[in-house]
Amino acid sequence: MSASETGLAERPSRLFDTYVRMPVALVRGEGPWLFDDQGRRYLDALSGIAVCSLGHAHPRLAAAIADQASTLVHTANIVRIPQQEALAEALCEISDLDRAFIANSGAEAIECALKLARRHAHARGIEAPAVLVASDSFHGRTLAALSASGNSAIQAGFGPLVDGFVRVPFGDLAAARQAFADNPNIVAALVEPIQGEGGVRPAPVGYLPGLRAACDQHQALLMLDEIQTGMARTGRWFAFQHEPGLVPDVITVAKALGNGVPIGACLARESVAGLLSVGSHGTTFGGNPLACRVGLEVIKIMREQDIPAQAERLGLALLAALKTRLDGTPGVVDIRGRGLMVGIELAEPVPELKDRAMAAGLIINVTRGNVIRLLPPLIIDDEQVNQIADTVAQLVQARFSA
Ligand SMILES: *Cc1c(COP(=O)(O)O)cnc(C)c1O
């Protein structure tokens, strides 16, 4: 659909030009479906970038929002907030961690984790600490989060960056061990279990347990960014739970936690959480009754419907459907993923593909220029899995058949 059809082209916006936006306005959603202002229907295979995992306009979430909005939205963290305490309890149950700090976004959860690492360092008498981070990582857009990210595009023009990061190739355990050996100031490692923006790249088998062992050896914290992989996306509550016995010190959560209502959380083991004492960290909005009520309802629905198992089953179905249709297709380099976090790596950049998908009634994303990223709502059904695979396969075949 052209921009002139929607009238959007004639209406320039006063927003900062920080995004390339498709000339479509989505005005309504229902489950895995989205509708534009012309009444056209799209199947959502992106979930607002891993956010709306329970689909759009979920009746129970809408009811929880309406009820809480007409009861109490905000008090500030000067009093006890029962919804916040209940959400912390639920998050600790599903993660096996001990404490939660509730924030408003992923980047804020990362800031909290990085502040924990700094406190951990200073408690050990290390004055110039460093955090081990990975190439091609993404941790958000605040200054510390973009400094931690392995992405020069999001850092360009924002120097001086925040100090204290040591970068190693993602997935390379020997390089991580060497960095620890070379630099006694490394007090933590921060990695994504599956790199999202970095191209849907799962950590190789043995990488996370190996990092855990290296962190233990050097009294460093293992901090996992589960902002994209968490909340059932990969077939477990958190992606680290695919590794039997692995216990991180800190994880960051956001995206799907509020199904679209802004919220983030930093979860930590008891002794680590204790590093942030009274007055050392805070947020005005974070943990308000509205956002926490929604987070609680998200976890409740996911538990009742065993959404982690659903994501695992449908993810296997989606991977199989894509492989059946695309294996051996020219231009297809790799098809990979875990649960409903799936990437199709192509031989060339495909900037036009998400627009072609939109025209075909499917919402997808392309990351790193050449990786189709599929993050459908976890409530899709088998027919919709096949519909996603059919459309994606047709688009890829059309692109590389010339
Ligand atoms: C999206 C994302 C972030 C940043 O979250 P925001 O809510 O946009 O600040 C951080 N880490 C990962 C892995 C993400 O996918």
Side-chain angles (χ1 to χ4, degrees):
M1 167 186 32
S2 72
S4 58
E5 275 180 90
T6 63
L8 286 167
E10 290 77 51
R11 279 183 273 128
S13 93
R14 284 180 179 270
L15 298 170
F16 284 18
D17 276 327
T18 51
Y19 291 97
V20 178
R21 294 174 194 266
M22 289 189 274
V24 177
L26 298 168
V27 295
R28 186 169 71 82
E30 194 182 326
W33 301 101
L34 285 163
F35 300 84
D36 69 15
D37 55 356
Q38 313 292 303
R40 290 188 180 88
R41 189 176 82 151
Y42 304 85
L43 181 56
D44 187 3
L46 187 59
S47 309
I49 316 186
V51 169
C52 300
S53 285
L54 292 176
H56 302 279
H58 194 292
R60 281 177 59 180
L61 295 176
I65 291 168
D67 181 59
Q68 195 59 48
S70 56
T71 305
L72 184 67
V73 170
H74 177 83
T75 62
N77 288 296
I78 54 164
V79 288
R80 294 186 72 162
I81 300 174
Q83 294 87 351
Q84 188 183 134
E85 293 182 19
L87 179 62
E89 195 76 44
L91 284 168
C92 290
E93 271 171 30
I94 62 176
S95 65
D96 268 331
L97 288 164
D98 303 317
R99 295 275 186 156
F101 182 88
I102 311 294
N104 306 289
S105 67
E108 280 179 64
I110 290 288
E111 292 282 337
C112 182
L114 293 172
K115 287 174 80 171
L116 282 171
R118 292 272 173 104
R119 280 265 164 136
H120 175 64
H122 294 300
R124 287 178 51 203
I126 295 174
E127 290 303 319
V131 174
L132 189 88
V133 290
S135 58
D136 299 318
S137 61
F138 181 80
H139 299 295
R141 303 288 198 144
T142 60
L143 268 175
L146 71 84
S147 301
S149 299
N151 181 330
S152 52
I154 70 166
Q155 296 174 338
F158 295 118
L161 300 181
V162 173
D163 232 351
F165 295 101
V166 170
R167 197 170 307 284
V168 291
F170 179 68
D172 184 341
L173 193 53
R177 286 201 189 107
Q178 191 61 49
F180 271 112
D182 292 345
N183 191 337
N185 287 347
I186 296 178
V187 293
L190 172 66
V191 297
E192 298 154 84
I194 301 174
Q195 290 192 325
E197 308 300 310
V200 191
R201 259 186 266 175
V205 174
Y207 183 63
L208 296 179
L211 264 189
R212 173 74 275 177
C215 287
D216 287 343
Q217 195 186 337
H218 297 275
Q219 297 173 63
L221 304 177
L222 178 62
M223 309 197 300
L224 299 179
D225 182 347
E226 293 261 14
I227 290 167
Q228 192 161 145
T229 52
M231 300 307 298
R233 172 57 56 186
T234 73
R236 298 285 185 278
W237 283 108
F238 298 99
F240 79 82
Q241 292 164 338
H242 288 286
E243 299 279 357
L246 182 74
V247 183
D249 297 295
V250 175
I251 68 173
T252 53
V253 189
K255 294 210 159 91
L257 178 55
N259 210 64
V261 173
I263 186 167
C266 180
L267 312 181
R269 294 200 300 120
E270 185 74 38
S271 59
V272 178
L275 293 164
L276 287 180
S277 47
V278 170
S280 64
H281 194 46
T283 160
T284 300
F285 293 138
N288 74 47
L290 178 68
C292 292
R293 171 82 181 271
V294 177
L296 265 175
E297 192 68 14
V298 165
I299 294 176
K300 201 165 168 226
I301 295 167
M302 286 187 167
R303 273 185 160 147
E304 283 171 17
Q305 302 179 0
D306 201 355
I307 294 292
Q310 163 107 336
E312 180 162 56
R313 185 180 72 75
L314 291 167
L316 289 170
L318 179 58
L319 266 184
L322 288 166
K323 285 182 175 167
T324 305
R325 289 161 181 74
L326 284 174
D327 256 358
T329 302
V332 176
V333 176
D334 191 22
I335 302 172
R336 59 181 174 250
R338 198 145 208 189
L340 283 172
M341 181 171 184
V342 170
I344 303 155
E345 185 177 338
L346 302 170
E348 293 167 21
V350 286
E352 73 293 354
L353 220 63
K354 65 180 183 357
D355 303 276
R356 298 245 167 102
M358 193 68 128
L362 182 71
I363 297 176
I364 63 167
N365 175 246
V366 175
T367 183
R368 291 191 70 76
N370 67 330
V371 181
I372 299 174
R373 180 168 48 162
L374 303 175
L375 297 161
L378 309 180
I379 46 90
I380 55 170
D381 62 22
D382 291 278
E383 190 186 325
Q384 288 150 1
V385 163
N386 284 325
Q387 191 178 332
I388 294 169
D390 284 340
T391 306
V392 168
Q394 281 158 18
L395 290 165
V396 170
Q397 279 152 0
R399 168 64 177 73
F400 286 96
S401 67

